[in-house]
Amino acid sequence: MREIIFDTETTGLDPKTGDRLVEIGCIEMVNRVSTGATFHAYFNPDRDMPAAAEAVHGLSITFLSDKPRFHERAADLLEFLGDSMLVAHNAGFDFGFLNTELEICGLEPVSRTRMIDTVALARVRHPGAKLSLDALCTRYGIDRSHRTRHGALLDAELLAQVYVELTGGRQIGLELAADAADGLVHAATTLAQRERTFRPARPHAASEAELAAHAAFLETVKSPLWND
């Protein structure tokens, strides 16, 4: 089974407000073992770089100014991705930027049925625990001392190790562990893709009958403390 672990860096948090993708890093895994094949690219976003974003990943407009635009590398990226499942941490964010860039190019977006979200996996595996990539690296003893800033390929490499641990650890060669891992991925993928339905708030005020019954009950209480 071929899977692509990937991460992105951007100019901000929301592609709908004009933020753009500036870096993508992809790691190829087969049967949850890294093959060594990667895809990595920087992109000129044709806009400014907010200081807050640059502080996170260190990518300045000066550095990105001579890099290709996304549409110039889109075909290479799609060829590398193929039809494989795509694994990302908080995957909805990365898919949002990737698909926005593809749509700008006039290309079909990547189906979210191919999305595996490691945040959802971690939530199933470690309910109530911290779910950041740093926290999961610490939990699994994955060395990230060389990570001084966010970087798409570096973060994808760390995430690949986290993904192995989340889906069976070093026992992935065992059939039972592999079956359990696939079940966990299916459960978490379903959780990540589930549509959220808006439900209006339910009324919580007591009815007139309930208020009357409560008042009658209070009349039966002898020497209540609240009267002292």
Side-chain angles (χ1 to χ4, degrees), residues 213-224 226:
H214 180 64
F217 169 75
L218 292 180
E219 291 295 328
T220 67
V221 178
K222 297 181 179 179
S223 304
W226 55 85

Side-chain angles (χ1 to χ4, degrees), residues 128-183:
K130 292 183 179 179
L131 304 179
S132 69
L133 182 57
D134 282 342
L136 290 170
C137 284
T138 298
R139 172 181 286 274
Y140 291 122
I142 297 169
D143 180 21
R144 66 179 193 283
S145 59
H146 53 304
R147 182 185 187 242
T148 57
R149 278 182 171 169
H150 288 243
L153 189 59
L154 173 58
D155 285 1
E157 290 170 347
L158 292 173
L159 183 59
Q161 296 178 67
V162 167
Y163 180 58
V164 168
E165 297 297 340
L166 284 172
T167 56
R170 303 307 172 187
Q171 298 179 351
I172 56 174
L174 300 178
E175 185 176 347
L176 290 177
D179 290 344
D182 288 338

Side-chain angles (χ1 to χ4, degrees), residues 12-86:
L13 300 177
D14 190 353
K16 294 180 181 179
T17 60
D19 284 317
R20 300 294 300 272
L21 186 68
V22 295
E23 184 187 9
I24 189 166
C26 307
I27 306 289
E28 180 187 63
M29 299 188 83
V30 176
N31 295 328
R32 299 192 179 94
V33 176
S34 177
T35 66
T38 65
F39 179 92
H40 179 234
Y42 295 107
F43 306 113
N44 184 339
D46 287 317
R47 55 152 291 168
D48 66 306
M49 178 67 70
E54 186 173 342
V56 171
H57 49 57
L59 302 177
S60 67
I61 288 302
T62 301
F63 172 79
L64 296 169
S65 61
D66 64 348
K67 302 301 183 287
R69 273 69 177 178
F70 182 88
H71 70 86
E72 298 176 71
R73 298 297 312 277
D76 295 335
L77 172 60
L78 290 174
E79 181 179 3
F80 185 84
L81 297 180
D83 59 359
S84 301
M85 295 296 286
L86 306 179

